[in-house]
Amino acid sequence: MKRVIKGNHAVSQGVRLSRVKVISAYPITPQTTIVEELSEICASGSLDAKFIKVESEHSAMAAVVGASTAGVRSFTATSSQGLLLMHEVLHWAAGARLPIVLANVNRAVAPGWNIWADQTDSLSQRDTGWVQIYCESNQEVLDSVIMAYRLAEEVRVPVMLTYDAFFLSHTSEIVDVPEIEEVDSFLPPYEPELKLDVEAPLAFGGLMSPDLYYEGRYTQHRDTMRVLEVYPRVCMEFQRVFGRKYDIVEEYRTGDAELVVVTAGTITSVSRIAVDAMRAKGKPVGLVKLRIFRPVPAEVWRSVLGRFPKVVVIDRNLTAGLGGVFASEIRSVLYSLEERPKVYPVVAGLGGRDVTPRDLEGIIEAALGREDPGSEPLFWGLKE
Amino acid sequence: MSRGELLQPGILSCQGCGAALAMKLAMMGLGKRTIVVIPACCWTIILGVYPYSALQVPVIHVPFETAAVVASGVRAALDMRGEKDVEVMAWAGDGGTFDIGLQALSGAAERNDDILYVCYDNEAYMNTGIQRSSATPIGAWTTTTPAGSLKKEPKKDLEKIMMGHSIPYLATLSVAYPDDAVKKFRRARTIRGTKFLHILSPCPPGWRIDPSQSIRTARLATLSNVFPLYEVVDGKLELSLIPEKTVPVKEYLECQGRFKGITPEMEDLLQRNVDRKWEELLAEAEKERQALS
Ligand SMILES: Cc1ncc(C[n+]2csc(CCOP(=O)(O)OP(=O)(O)O)c2C)c(N)n1
Ligand code: SF4
């Protein structure tokens, strides 16, 4: 059924449709309306789930670690400082191989307090072992919740889906909300091989000697890489059931492009408009949208991005002392190519600063007119 | 320990470890249909190295500050699975309870989640090498309250904090009184909501006592009213034991190396605090007794 809903409600609908059994969350702007709607969904009985209203995000993540180890489908949602507070337990969930799904509304981190869009929060969790999926629209947000459980439960890794504060969280769009029976046919009930069970007692997460720990971590890495095989299959099945197509990266007007802009999140929509405008002026430019980041789809990046002489990477995030995360990782992945594209790193839109199609055109013009991309990122739109 | 028990031989504790005895009593009282949640503490080690585990019930190890809330999460999942008769026990040290884990414990208690929270109290961070916790008593030596800078602050009154949460069951237990302890674990099992048990567990290396003296030391703690035994059921307090003849606190202090440097002033303060608390407990128990009669 087509409905006009906000990004946050796309999450709560996705959770309802996925028949999640335990939810635990703590409010933070701009995630709060997810929690509110989930409270209503649980209270009304339209989802048979326990909602544990904890006293912090650290506890929210710990509660779902407990629930997931006890063998039920579990969910939490947060943003910014809340995600940062979860950090220790994020590592724990991934190391314990728990298929938890987390929705993170990408918001800037303090100080100064800032509630607007910025991806530094999720990108600073890139080493926690969580799969990260970046979303561009409310439809993608809803679909990603459902796909995330399929992926997480098959590979036994936790999945974080992210989307930009306010641009999606509080903006209404037309979303096709599937029927729950349809979702049932795509997402079977969660039946873990191992769980906390008094009939078959096991110990989870205990002391591990140097003799075994290393192999445990390797196995985690190997299986996390498996996401890159499983995800395309999940996408294909999703398309068969729901008719909507997703992929690891998505290309737009790249056919004969000599320069592509690489984006993640809502800047993608802005960039599409800019690409159209540049094309109208006869400039051969295109767009590559990142959807999965962690595991790094290195082969895909190499085969897709390696085709273009110039690659402009837009980072709405900052790792102070280096620049943008996406640009630095893309550059390192492309290093093994004999013919490497030039990578133009751009930092833009931090803390929700508006990035308009005109800005994107300016960024593209700058890259088109410059042979040497330099190593310092271009901080676009910085006030003097 | 004999075979066939829920706590098997081969545990990695030090000799005379009160925390190990405490778990044995817990398992005797709770039985097989129990899931144990263990945060970072000596018990992380005591249980054994993967793939071995000395407990014959399911165990989940969790981050240091999360015992209570992981138990809440497990509880919620079991409820969804329809396994209401399985008890979920969070089992944490004093550091994991009085300090870093207090927020999560308070959260679970405020929600009155149906879990059993047990703090085995050896009055310091033993697993990291005997540092002070907020459960360390006045005058005690630890590696962070060394000679010349012994702990000056009184032990945090966690029972009062927990009673402030109006939980249905709270009790203090000691490894020196095993029958009483097992009875309290059994009782906790029958109550729905958050149950908080505080069990005094001497630690030979931390308390500077001979391993053979653990139980005697724990008994002196109760006989001197340093660690009185009582139960609070739905807010009503009942003393489990009123010593026929109270032992001076000094006697309890003198049997342990950790109080070697205590000053007479600190000792006085400790005795006065103990007396005051005991008077409060007596008065509270008397109030309940009269209300009943
Ligand atoms: C977040 C975090 N901080 C610190 C530690 C290190 N640590 C592990 S156990 C422990 C002390 C535990 O003390 P307590 O809870 O009293 O239990 P005991 O060791 O005495 O059994 C500490 C500080 C940790 N594991 N996690
Ligand atoms: S250090 Fe103390 S608490 Fe830890 S195992 Fe040894 S005796 Fe037990």
Side-chain angles (χ1 to χ4, degrees), chain A residues 88, chain B residues 40-43 64-65 92-97 100 120 122 124-128 131 133:
Chain A
E88 179 195 21
Chain B
C41 60
C42 271
W43 258 99
F64 197 13
E65 56 292 327
D94 49 290
T97 304
I100 198 166
Y120 70 89
N122 51 28
Y125 297 122
M126 297 310 181
N127 181 51
T128 39
Q131 298 86 20
S133 78

Side-chain angles (χ1 to χ4, degrees), chain B residues 12-20 41-43 45-46 120 122 124-130 201-207 214:
Chain B
L12 302 181
S13 71
C14 317
Q15 278 186 6
C17 172
C41 60
C42 271
W43 258 99
I45 316 291
I46 297 176
Y120 70 89
N122 51 28
Y125 297 122
M126 297 310 181
N127 181 51
T128 39
I130 325 177
S201 313
C203 164
W207 291 19
S214 294

Side-chain angles (χ1 to χ4, degrees), chain A residues 285-301:
Chain A
V285 299
L287 168 78
V288 176
K289 161 176 143 180
L290 307 184
R291 217 172 116 67
I292 294 250
F293 174 74
R294 285 298 183 270
V296 167
E299 282 308 317
V300 176
W301 284 2

Side-chain angles (χ1 to χ4, degrees), chain B residues 174-189:
Chain B
S174 164
V175 292
Y177 295 88
D179 292 346
D180 177 71
V182 171
K183 200 182 78 201
K184 285 169 176 166
F185 277 109
R186 283 214 179 101
R187 179 153 204 187
R189 239 213 115 102

Side-chain angles (χ1 to χ4, degrees), chain A residues 240-258:
Chain A
R240 191 173 49 74
V241 178
F242 302 96
R244 288 183 290 277
K245 188 174 180 303
Y246 295 101
D247 214 332
I248 290 176
V249 299
E250 290 165 25
E251 299 183 46
Y252 180 69
R253 301 190 79 164
T254 49
D256 58 344
E258 286 167 18

Side-chain angles (χ1 to χ4, degrees), chain B residues 75-96:
Chain B
R75 171 82 272 152
L78 292 177
D79 288 350
M80 291 308 296
R81 273 163 46 181
E83 296 184 34
K84 305 252 181 205
D85 70 319
V86 173
E87 188 65 54
V88 184
M89 172 171 75
W91 180 269
D94 49 290

